[in-house]
Amino acid sequence: MIYEKLALYYDQFVDVKLNQLYLKTIKKYFSEGNVIDLGTGTGQLAILLAENNFHVTGTDLIPQMLEMAYNNSVEAGLYTNFYIHDILEPLNSFYDIITMTTDVINYIEEKKDVIKVFTNVQKAMTNSSIFAFDFITVKHVDKMDKYHEDILMHDDLIEWSVSKTIVPNQLKHTLKIGNTYETHIQTTFKNSEYIEMLKLSGLTVVEKIKYNERHIFVCKKSNQKWLLF
C-alpha cells in the first residue's frame, strides 16, 4: 500500500487548525474524559487531546500510520494507546468522547455501511457521551474534479490526481510515488442524508460547524435533549 510510504510524510498534511477546532469544541462538553480517535492517522489529534488532560486511544487500519502515531506520542512524552481497528467493526468499550476526523467517514461508500459505523459508535456511548466527526461537502466534490498536484517530499515525488466518478458525490483519488500507484474512493452525502443515517443509528446532531470544505457534526444519543445550533 502506498500509505505505508506516505505515513512518513503524513504529518506535513495535517490540518492543525482543524485539530484545534475539535479541541475547542470538545471542551464545551468535557474538560477531561476517555476518548477514542477513530482513523487517527499519525495521532496528531489524539496527542493534542492527551496534552489537554484527556485519556486517549487512537485507532487506524494502517500499521505504519500507528507506528508514526506511537513515535509522535513518545516524542511528546505522553502515554497514548494505539491499535488497529476497522470502523465497520464494533468497539469494545464505552467512551466519553468519540472522534472521527479529516473525512474518515467519506471512505465508507455505501449508506448501509455508514449506518453500521454510526451504530457501532452509538453502542460505545453513554447518555453523556459525544461523537464528533466531519465529512466533505457536496460542493467540494465538484470543486476537486480534475484536480492534480505534484508534491515533492525529500527524494520522493507524490503525484496526486482527483476525478469524479459516475456515482453521485464520489471522488477517485489516485496517488503515485515512484512506480507505485494506489486509488482511494471518497463518497459524501448531503447534510440531510447524514442526519437521517445518524437518526437510524440512534444518534442526534446537537451542533453543526462549517469548516472550509467540511462540515463537523457533534452528536449525542437520541434520547438526550441537547441543542446548541
Side-chain angles (χ1 to χ4, degrees):
M1 292 179 66
I2 207 164
Y3 267 89
E4 296 175 1
K5 197 164 190 177
L6 194 60
L8 297 172
Y9 307 125
Y10 196 78
D11 282 342
Q12 298 179 57
F13 298 100
V14 170
D15 189 335
V16 175
K17 290 183 179 179
L18 177 62
N19 287 343
Q20 290 288 346
L21 179 56
Y22 267 98
L23 174 62
K24 179 181 177 181
T25 301
I26 288 167
K27 282 191 169 183
K28 295 179 187 177
Y29 302 87
F30 291 93
S31 58
E32 58 183 21
N34 293 320
V35 183
I36 186 162
D37 183 34
L38 304 174
T40 194
T42 55
Q44 294 300 322
L45 176 60
I47 290 167
L48 178 63
L49 291 170
E51 289 173 335
N52 283 269
N53 302 317
F54 293 94
H55 179 73
V56 187
T57 298
T59 75
D60 208 285
L61 271 176
I62 302 170
Q64 288 77 12
M65 289 290 189
L66 294 176
E67 183 179 351
M68 290 295 298
Y70 175 78
N71 292 339
N72 287 337
S73 178
V74 170
E75 287 182 11
L78 299 167
Y79 176 76
T80 309
N81 297 312
F82 295 102
Y83 67 89
I84 294 174
H85 174 257
D86 186 336
I87 57 175
L88 288 167
E89 298 297 324
L91 294 164
N92 58 7
S93 187
F94 291 98
Y95 299 91
D96 300 310
I97 303 116
I98 300 175
T99 56
M100 188 164 57
T101 74
T102 318
D103 45 76
V104 167
I105 195 62
N106 293 128
Y107 289 93
I108 306 298
E109 297 181 36
E110 301 288 339
K111 278 190 174 183
K112 63 179 178 61
D113 290 330
V114 174
I115 293 169
K116 186 175 183 180
V117 171
F118 290 160
T119 301
N120 289 337
V121 167
Q122 187 269 146
K123 289 180 178 179
M125 297 170 68
T126 67
N127 286 339
S128 61
S129 301
I130 63 167
F131 167 45
F133 75 103
D134 61 69
F135 53 92
I136 57 175
T137 65
V138 170
K139 287 184 179 179
H140 183 64
V141 172
D142 293 329
K143 180 180 176 181
M144 290 297 289
D145 188 31
K146 297 180 175 60
Y147 180 83
H148 180 86
E149 184 175 0
D150 292 330
I151 307 166
L152 184 62
M153 291 290 179
H154 302 296
D155 295 327
D156 289 316
L157 177 65
I158 301 171
E159 298 178 54
W160 175 30
S161 299
V162 187
S163 60
K164 292 171 65 174
T165 75
I166 60 172
V167 177
N169 305 321
Q170 187 177 83
L171 291 172
K172 180 176 75 173
H173 297 259
T174 302
L175 294 168
K176 179 187 176 186
I177 301 180
N179 295 319
T180 304
Y181 287 86
E182 191 162 302
T183 297
H184 295 268
I185 298 295
Q186 280 192 310
T187 308
T188 198
F189 301 96
K190 297 177 182 178
N191 285 21
S192 59
E193 293 176 285
Y194 277 113
I195 290 170
E196 180 62 23
M197 287 186 282
L198 288 161
K199 181 180 178 181
L200 291 171
S201 307
L203 294 167
T204 299
V205 180
V206 298
E207 186 174 3
K208 300 175 186 176
I209 302 166
K210 178 71 169 64
Y211 176 79
N212 295 335
E213 72 276 11
R214 296 186 175 92
H215 288 293
I216 300 171
F217 280 2
V218 181
C219 309
K220 290 183 71 71
K221 283 198 167 187
S222 296
N223 60 342
Q224 299 302 295
K225 297 179 181 179
W226 285 48
L227 288 175
L228 296 185
F229 65 87

